[in-house]
Amino acid sequence: MNFEAHLAPYAARSAASRGRRFSEAAPASRSEFQRDRDRIIHSTAFRRLEYKTQVFVNHEGDLFRTRLTHSIEVAQIARSIARNLRLNEDLVEAISLAHDLGHTPFGHAGQDALNACMKDYGGFEHNLQSLRVVDELEEHYGAFDGLNLMFETREGILKHCSLSNAAKLGDIGRRFIERKQPSLEAQLANLADEIAYNNHDIDDGLRSGLITTTQLDEVDFYARHRSEVARAYPGITGRRAIHETIRRMINALAVDLIQTSQSHIRDAGVQSIDEVRNAEPLITFSREMRGEALQLKRFLRENLYHHYLVNRMTSKARRIIRELFDAFMQEPRLLPPDYQIPGNEHAQARKVADYIAGMTDRYAMREHRRLFFIDES
Ligand code: MG
């Protein structure tokens, strides 16, 4: 059965794929990319996303986004746009669900701290770590390490990569060196991520009380939609007004992305995924929308991500990661046996990074207490 007959010629297809690292028989009841999506959902790293966060640490409140709900929102936005563009929804969903698998505990603070710890050992990049999770770290199959995903899924997961790391990665790193594009599905998942976090960070920011609707009125994009909501529903206030506003913002971004990308695809005349790889990026917002999104991002950076109460948490997070790393490097025997690599400092550091990156927020805090407080065991 051809599960992909409805796709546009420029979409990713199982038949035209660059394949898996270890060859496997084609699945009978689903497409190759459906299989990838399913493998990701059954992975251990995917379940950990529930207890990892970006801005707010997991214990700060039950209603804040976690990386799991964030990834589901990204997948929802990406799939609905993909359907409009006749792209491969299964691939876009697989990339979306896997895009944060390599994140450390405590969001970007954790990633920066671990990168600093790994300075002399090749550094730490969360995109690269996501690829490492699906290529090597998951232990689910008898025949291979990792999930053995399709090239196009892996290409989408590796959103960014330094040139020095790209050179070590072979096939999957080549596009960074040759300055080529990934599939349209990968380009789309990347922007769906942006739509998701910009909007849910407003919601979570307001819920936490760290930012206010009055402050948000200085963001044109928000203010315009908020006043439309007030006109449509006179007297609307509170959570309902916020949600109705954010809903409209997400919709406006999605519609703009669909229309702009459709016209780019038409103008470029691409007829295959390889033509897509050689073209300019085709999935983009319009220039006006990019300007609006930038203003919103800047607002969030200044008022939420750098709020002093968030800074306190990120400072604590940095310290926890640094102290865990140093303790494990000084005494590798504190690690579970399969993470100990005696006599090879470089390999040991990478194992410690894998161990720490795999921790959830609360596990990292508990592990830190266990190592540094005598009355914890
Ligand atoms: Mg993300």
Side-chain angles (χ1 to χ4, degrees), residues 54 67 70-71 74 96 99-100 103 108 126 159 193-194 196-197 200:
Q54 314 199 101
R67 284 206 185 268
H70 161 70
S71 300
V74 174
S96 302
H99 84 284
D100 273 352
H103 261 288
H108 287 283
H126 64 84
K159 185 168 63 177
D193 184 23
E194 207 177 299
Y197 69 68
H200 66 50

